Amino acid sequence: MSLLDRYHVLVHNVSAAFGYDYSDATPDWVHPFIHLILVLAPALLITVGSYLAIRGIFKLWKRRHTSTFHPEPIRGLEGSLFSTVLRYSRRQQALMIVVSLIAMPILYLTLELPKQIVNNALDSDRFPVAVLGRDVDQVVFLMLLCGLYLLAIILNGLNKYGLNVFKGFVAERFLRRFRLLVYRQWRSDPDSRNQSEIVPILAQEVEPIGGFAADVLTLPILQGGTLLTILFFMFVQDPVLGAAALTVLPIQLVLLPKLQRRVNALSRTRIKEVRQLGRQLSEQLHERQVNPTGLLPAGASFRELEHVRRKIFRLKFFIKALNNFLTALTPFLFYSLGGYFVIEGRITLGALVAVLAAHKDFSAPLKELFNYYQTLEDTRIRYHEITTFFNKSIQQSAIVQADNTMPQEVSQFEQAPLRCPASSLKRQGAIATS
């Protein structure tokens, strides 16, 4: 048996394990879909997931075993962003996690009830049916299912509303405390060179950090739980269609993070350029005489900021367009392969409609998770830049203090040998006179 024949046997065995046996009577266009959905895409997903997991474990191990001294940059803040957020909002984070987990069964009801309405309430051959010991006709049963669906939608909306309001409360509370700690640190070390740069830090750079404080644990749990709930619902309807929903996920995991790293590098450059512009404007404000060439450095900074922001816009919209295109490929598999399954009688039309509606909700949490990754990287950069700003200030003040104390020590050292001979001469004179 050749290698190709063994591969075909493997595909047939995997397809049989998913409950779908296809033979030579199956149309030819179905075979590539089965190979892609059940073998190639899962193998690529396992490979990419294993690589990301191993790289994350290696980075964590390297970070723990690297013996470096990190001084406390701002009094009251930790060296890590996660540690700082959990230090001041541990109880609120636990409450938001509980509310997020409550939303999962409600979400499953909003996905299951439309299928029940299409398959059961609109089927006129099964009526009357018994509901809680009473026989109801088709219209009453339809209204009953629609009422349950409306109740599930209301509960889901109330859950999201309460969670978002509470997240806003946590974010604003953490933002106020974070600004206060940064302001106190700036007041304790009032360096004239840093006074102009503290304004964009307190006004702009701390805003994303405060908003991220409410999403640091809640968003991945809520959106990840939503993703797993929808995926579980798809696999319950049909395992092949559930596997088809994960076909483009490996490509997204490979391409999108690499593009995001470039956006992060440009964001870091933009932050530094804004601070440089603030420093230049502060120096011009403190000048006593008007400088005719004062517009040249400011114009160069404006031009550089425009250039960097254009690059950021191009990369961000390219990532968004690529993600939308890859997400739109999965409904193509649903319409083609799922439609063939409906014609064969493998699944019902209501199940296919429910899977299509679920995938529409499936792409939303996936985008939120990718946005969370982008926000996480951007917030880490901002947090690192703020702590680095005060680290540099502390180091500069330490150097200045060392430079100021060195001449005093030198003068004391130079005066010490002069005092000893004088005292010895006085003692010798006293002995001689005695």
Side-chain angles (χ1 to χ4, degrees), residues 6-26:
R6 292 180 180 178
Y7 172 73
H8 281 285
V9 171
L10 175 64
V11 174
H12 280 275
N13 293 334
V14 173
S15 177
F18 276 83
Y20 179 72
D21 295 328
Y22 70 97
S23 59
D24 296 335
T26 305

Side-chain angles (χ1 to χ4, degrees), residues 243-260:
L246 301 176
T247 304
V248 299
L249 185 58
I251 304 176
Q252 293 173 326
L253 292 177
V254 172
L255 294 180
L256 297 182
K258 291 185 177 181
L259 295 175
Q260 183 59 36

